[in-house]
Amino acid sequence: MSTEQQKRPDGRDATTTDKPRVVALPEDENRETLVNYYHQMLLVRRFEEKSDEMYKMARIGGYCHLNLGEEATVVGFCAGLEAKDYLYTNYREHGYALGRGISANAVMAELFGKETGCSYGRGGSMHMFSLEHRLLGGYGIVGGQVPLAVGAAFAVAYRGSDEVVAVQMGDGATNGGPFYESLNLAKIYKLPVIFFVVNNQYGMGLPVEKGSAVAELYRKGCAFDVRGERVDGNDVIAVRDAVRRAAKVAREEHEPYIVEAVSFRHRGHSVIDPDRYRDEEVVRRGRALDPVPAFAKRLQDAHLIDEQGLQALEEQVEQVVNEAVRFAEESPFPPVESLFDHIYASDEHLQESK
């Protein structure tokens, strides 16, 4: 989207209403693929709702940040990458773990701190990891994952392979030094990295336009001659296509690229955030653009699924999520004797240092 088209900080142009835009689906899209996108979005939605419930029941500890409202952004982003590509995320990463193919059982078990989790119960909500699925971690420090992703992209370029490294971050991370240093190095060394900015319009409690001198965040790459674009984060296909364009540039030209997806966070910054800093009308308008029912309507309007089909998917997802909770509940905690497993320094080295 051009700067001229985007005048509003919420990612909608001046003529957009507060109702979801019903955009016709591209005619050349595969039905199974489109229905699968909806299935994944619904899984993220129900999984996060259940995570919220489990957190409030004290089954999940630590911090917990949900992808509620960002389902189209999450699924579209993952769909735009190839299985061989690498992904770094911030702490709001449950949906991305699911989108990369990690099972709901393994993600829920990780939230419960169990040995069967994708990080063996050591990472919890903010630090999921799977080398098999090339998810190289969620990171709790704002912007901390960005330089690491650039380092991984340098390694890819050094060995001459054709993977892409994608790094997801929130809007607040674009105000920190690591973001700009990473853009600079990525451009200098011509690295195959995608900077994926999820602009959910609030950096914790601060609106984007109050926390950033440039509210159109993709434009921040201009100082480093890094190309980028802004996309409607409530449109799963638009996000997928933008990521594919970015991946093509990164893979074929070894050039960095910024994709800014504008979505809306339905809840507070974390599960324990009462969300009192946002006006009720702002929240109402944001939730009215809910990407999950909006995409269901697009599928129905295109006669790709009917109400019965939607209900079948709902029931299937409910079973998956309930099974994930059962699996997590019944899984063991990591044994005490494994305390020093999966760390850089071995137990012997720690003993020697005493």
Side-chain angles (χ1 to χ4, degrees):
M1 295 182 182
S2 69
T3 304
E4 290 72 23
Q5 291 173 315
Q6 286 300 132
K7 297 298 183 183
R8 295 177 57 165
D10 59 4
R12 292 173 284 154
D13 60 46
T15 61
T16 304
T17 67
D18 292 325
K19 297 180 180 179
R21 292 183 300 120
V22 180
V23 181
L25 294 168
E27 295 182 0
D28 59 346
E29 291 285 346
N30 177 272
R31 176 194 178 276
E32 183 179 352
T33 298
L34 294 176
V35 173
N36 183 52
Y37 289 162
Y38 176 73
H39 186 191
Q40 291 182 57
M41 290 167 63
L42 188 62
L43 174 60
V44 175
R45 172 62 58 88
R46 298 295 177 248
F47 186 95
E48 294 292 61
E49 289 172 344
K50 183 62 71 172
S51 297
D52 178 64
E53 178 185 337
M54 291 296 102
Y55 189 91
K56 291 171 180 174
M57 292 175 61
R59 307 305 298 146
I60 298 171
Y63 290 100
C64 188
H65 307 80
L66 306 177
N67 290 123
L68 291 170
E70 301 175 4
E71 292 83 1
T73 295
V74 172
V75 173
F77 173 59
C78 292
L81 299 173
E82 296 184 12
K84 64 183 177 182
D85 296 332
Y86 295 98
L87 172 60
Y88 287 78
T89 73
N90 66 359
Y91 43 79
R92 196 182 302 276
E93 93 271 39
H94 309 165
Y96 296 94
L98 294 170
R100 287 302 278 177
I102 302 175
S103 71
N105 284 5
V107 178
M108 189 65 77
E110 189 58 42
L111 292 175
F112 277 52
K114 298 300 184 71
E115 180 76 15
T116 53
C118 57
S119 297
Y120 306 106
R122 279 118 169 123
S125 173
M126 297 197 294
H127 304 289
M128 295 188 177
F129 180 92
S130 173
L131 186 58
E132 175 189 355
H133 298 92
R134 301 208 165 186
L135 173 62
L136 299 188
Y139 293 83
I141 297 174
V142 174
Q145 73 277 22
V146 185
L148 298 178
V150 170
F154 184 89
V156 168
Y158 184 80
R159 62 174 190 244
S161 54
D162 69 341
E163 298 102 333
V164 165
V165 179
V167 55
Q168 173 265 356
M169 70 201 80
D171 42 85
T174 68
N175 296 324
F179 176 67
Y180 296 104
E181 294 171 16
S182 296
L183 285 175
N184 189 50
L185 289 174
K187 183 64 180 183
I188 289 173
Y189 291 113
K190 296 179 66 68
L191 301 181
V193 58
I194 301 171
F195 299 93
F196 187 71
V197 182
V198 181
N199 181 357
N200 62 26
Q201 304 177 49
Y202 285 85
M204 293 192 73
L206 187 67
V208 170
E209 62 271 20
K210 290 186 178 181
S212 177
V214 177
E216 292 156 323
L217 305 179
Y218 75 98
R219 292 175 52 209
K220 293 186 175 184
C222 68
F224 307 95
D225 199 22
V226 174
R227 282 172 279 179
E229 62 182 287
R230 172 181 267 198
V231 66
D232 181 0
N234 289 319
D235 185 337
V236 63
I237 297 176
V239 176
R240 179 204 64 185
D241 290 348
V243 174
R244 283 180 177 175
R245 288 190 293 271
K248 181 178 175 64
V249 170
R251 201 181 316 277
E252 297 179 4
E253 303 178 33
H254 270 220
E255 285 281 347
Y257 200 99
I258 300 173
V259 175
E260 176 193 359
V262 182
S263 57
F264 188 80
R265 195 184 70 208
H266 281 198
R267 303 280 184 87
H269 175 70
S270 69
V271 173
I272 61 173
D273 178 4
D275 197 16
R276 297 191 181 120
Y277 45 81
R278 298 195 298 190
D279 184 80
E280 291 183 4
E281 181 60 20
V282 169
V283 175
R284 185 198 67 77
R285 290 200 308 267
R287 290 181 179 176
L289 300 171
D290 193 326
V292 179
F295 196 64
K297 178 168 175 49
R298 291 174 72 182
L299 292 174
Q300 287 181 296
D301 289 348
H303 306 292
L304 297 179
I305 197 169
D306 56 18
E307 195 62 42
Q308 185 176 0
L310 292 174
Q311 184 58 38
L313 288 177
E314 183 75 53
E315 293 172 0
Q316 181 183 356
V317 165
E318 183 177 356
Q319 290 178 0
V320 169
V321 172
N322 287 338
E323 167 58 22
V325 171
R326 186 204 63 77
F327 176 80
E329 289 277 19
E330 296 179 1
S331 294
F333 286 105
V336 174
E337 57 269 23
S338 71
L339 178 63
F340 297 106
D341 293 349
H342 313 295
I343 60 176
Y344 288 115
S346 68
D347 186 11
E348 291 77 13
H349 290 152
L350 292 173
Q351 293 298 329
E352 291 173 1
S353 67
K354 290 183 178 180

